Structure formats: C-alpha cells, structure tokens
Amino acid sequence: IDCWALRGGEVHNVEGEPDSLNCPHVSVTHHKQPHVCVPIQVFNKPVGLIELAWGRSTDGWAPEMPLVNTVAEKIGLAFGNLRLREELSRQALIDPLTGLHNRRWLETCLKERVARHARGGLGFAVLIIDIDHFKAINDRYGHDAGDAALQEIARVLAASVRDSEASARLGGEEFTILVDTQDFSEAMAVAERVRLSVQALRIRANDQDLPTVTVSIGVALYPHHGSGVTEVLGRADEALYASKHNGRNQVRLPAPVSLAVN
C-alpha cells in the first residue's frame, strides 16, 4: 500500500515541514506543500483515499478536517452498502454447504439457455445426480459425515464442468450439471466420468473412513427431450428414477416416448 494513511488507517496530515514519509502517490511538487491523506474504509479495511494539497501562500486556507472526514466516512458507507448488496445477492444464489449454485439460480440459468437456443444457440444436456443410500450414511455415521459426502461430491461436480457450463445443488442429496452439448454420446460420457469420479472418492469424517459412495444419474437433452425447462427436467428425473430402480450406480437416458396409434 503506497500511502501511510492507508497503512495505518488514520489521517496523514502534513502542514509545517516537508513530508519525511513521502507517500509515493503524492506528486513531488506537493511533498513540500501542506497536504492531507484521508483513508476511505469499508468494514475497517482500506479501499481508497482522499488526497488534498494546498499552497503555503493561500492566506491561511486549509481544508476543514471534520468535513473531509465526514465525506470519507460517507463514501466508505456507500461502498459498504454496495458490497453488502452484492454479497446478499450472491448468497441468495449459492448453496452455503457445498458452495455450488442453488435451485433458484438453476431455474434462471435454464430459462436463459432455452431463450438462447430460441435465438439460434445450441441446446444442452441436463444431468440430475442423486447420491445412493444417502440416508443410510446419515443414520450410521452422522450428519457430519453426510455433509462431508455432499461437499466432496460437489467438488467433483464443480471440477467436471467447463467455464461456460454449470453445476448446482437442487436440494438434499440431489445435484445437477448443465453440459453444453446436443450429442447423446458426449452427454453420457460426461455423466459416466462423474459417476466413476464419485465412486473413486475416499471420504473421511469423524476420524473414520466412509464406505464407497456412489451416485445414480439421469440424462436428458434439450430440445430433444422437451420443449421447455419443466419438461426437460422431468425427463431427466424420469431417467434418474430408472437408474435408481434398476440397481443404482449407473447412468440412464429417458425411455423413448411411444406414440399412440389410432
């Protein structure tokens, strides 16, 4: 930090003698002139400063320091309010346990992607991921162990998506991934990599190793499996149910829709 006011969190006022500390941000010509540096702080951390300088031949004029301090405080409060708003907005869209996006964010993201497709953009794949026998983990090893499993799996999911893609926690032991592809084989390959990565995890909680954790995954593609968000999520959920019903720890697509013949 190139200012003594910011370093100390206090006003640095130079009046009579030249400034022996020579703040680097003060011009050389002003080092020998009266000047003042007033820190602007947000939550007791410096974010900027007010620098004022005046000549020695100004008939005794000098800034009114109470007023300058008040201005610095008000600017700091304004910045603080902005940061609080940003943090509250961020928290409203983030799951606090896993750090992934939450269902609210996911719904908005899906609507944006559908709208993008309507403007000529590509479709996408939805993967719904459910931890197998999660209740048994909580019942046998405690909720701390369950939380550890959720956090480790969330880490795998976050590492499985590209910057343009997304991972989210739907709630409970259920997650989702949005993959930028309209290709069935690519979507299934991503899901299979996730399944194997989770199965390879070694999770430790409360000074003990948890048994191998597995996931079941349902995959649906937009717009192939539905014309809207609700329909595509429903088809992915249908595929997930098939994965659970047929033995768990596997990846499934929705069953083909049969057309009634009159």
Side-chain angles (χ1 to χ4, degrees), residues 52-169:
L52 295 173
W54 58 98
R56 294 186 183 278
S57 58
T58 54
D59 297 327
W61 180 92
E64 296 182 16
M65 288 311 301
L67 177 60
V68 176
N69 287 329
T70 298
V71 171
E73 289 176 4
K74 288 187 177 296
I75 294 174
L77 286 172
F79 276 118
N81 287 334
L82 286 174
R83 287 194 176 181
L84 280 174
R85 287 185 185 180
E86 291 174 355
E87 180 62 18
L88 289 173
S89 297
R90 188 192 70 83
Q91 289 180 4
L93 301 176
I94 295 294
D95 173 58
L97 177 64
T98 64
L100 297 182
H101 295 293
N102 60 19
R103 179 185 288 273
R104 178 181 175 186
W105 177 90
L106 176 69
E107 291 172 351
T108 300
C109 183
L110 283 169
K111 291 176 182 176
E112 290 175 351
R113 286 173 180 262
V114 169
R116 190 185 310 164
H117 179 267
R119 297 192 299 269
L122 295 176
F124 54 90
V126 177
L127 283 57
I128 296 186
I129 302 147
D130 188 87
I131 304 175
D132 297 327
H133 304 296
F134 184 70
K135 184 177 183 301
I137 296 174
N138 276 331
D139 291 346
R140 181 174 179 182
Y141 298 96
H143 288 283
D144 287 346
D147 288 349
L150 291 169
Q151 290 168 336
E152 286 297 309
I153 291 172
R155 182 178 58 79
V156 168
L157 301 187
S160 300
V161 296
R162 294 168 288 199
D163 290 342
S164 61
E165 298 171 338
S167 55
R169 183 185 179 194

Side-chain angles (χ1 to χ4, degrees), residues 6 9 40-47:
L6 295 181
I40 298 173
Q41 302 190 83
V42 175
F43 306 130
N44 295 320
K45 292 183 179 180
V47 297

Side-chain angles (χ1 to χ4, degrees), residues 3-13 36-41 69:
C3 178
W4 291 100
L6 295 181
R7 291 183 185 183
E10 298 178 350
V11 174
H12 178 55
N13 197 352
V36 64
C37 303
V38 182
I40 298 173
Q41 302 190 83
N69 287 329

